[in-house]
Amino acid sequence: MQETRQNKVSRLLQKELAEIFQSQTRQMKGVLVSVTKVRISPDLSICTAYLSIFPSEKGSELLDNIKANEKTIRYELGKRVRNQLRIIPELRFFIDDSLDYSEHIDELLKK
């Protein structure tokens, strides 16, 4: 039963975070931030979001900027999901480098 609730909340948070990042990066030309995966703790207090950033050269710079603005993002998220969740989870962001890893493996296999 608990896993079902976690899955629903993680899907909700992924959707809302994606919309927040989409609206924020609209001003930045040539930058795309997508939320690839969201995991939530069993007590729904910690949200771990994995971000895919294009172009990947700007990934660490954008991740630092996102981490510096965690409170603002959490506040915006709280305004969006305040009717569905009692407690707005603490946010943690990481870069999802699985696409870069798979490209690297493909290059190695071609050689």
Side-chain angles (χ1 to χ4, degrees):
M1 184 68 180
Q2 183 67 16
E3 289 180 10
T4 305
R5 176 79 173 142
Q6 281 178 291
N7 291 337
K8 286 181 181 180
V9 171
S10 65
R11 283 194 305 265
L12 172 70
L13 293 176
Q14 182 176 3
K15 178 179 150 289
E16 296 299 336
L17 283 172
E19 289 178 7
I20 290 170
F21 287 129
Q22 184 180 19
S23 67
Q24 293 298 321
T25 58
R26 204 169 270 149
Q27 294 90 15
M28 302 168 63
K29 298 292 182 193
V31 175
L32 179 68
V33 177
S34 59
V35 182
T36 56
K37 190 185 309 180
V38 171
R39 296 188 188 247
I40 189 99
S41 64
D43 61 352
L44 306 179
S45 65
I46 299 173
C47 170
T48 305
Y50 294 93
L51 307 175
S52 177
I53 299 174
F54 179 82
S56 59
E57 297 84 35
K58 296 183 178 181
S60 61
E61 175 188 337
L62 281 173
L63 185 65
D64 292 339
N65 189 13
I66 288 169
K67 286 183 177 181
N69 294 316
E70 273 182 16
K71 291 184 180 183
T72 308
I73 296 169
R74 185 177 179 201
Y75 176 75
E76 183 68 30
L77 182 65
K79 288 195 308 188
R80 292 171 177 251
V81 299
R82 67 176 178 239
N83 294 329
Q84 287 105 348
L85 296 177
R86 186 176 298 165
I87 297 172
I88 307 305
E90 176 186 331
L91 299 175
R92 295 181 182 168
F93 296 104
F94 297 99
I95 291 183
D96 182 16
D97 57 354
S98 60
L99 186 62
D100 294 335
Y101 181 74
S102 64
E103 288 176 2
H104 177 68
I105 296 296
D106 285 342
E107 289 175 12
L108 291 176
L109 291 175
K110 287 179 182 177
K111 292 180 182 179

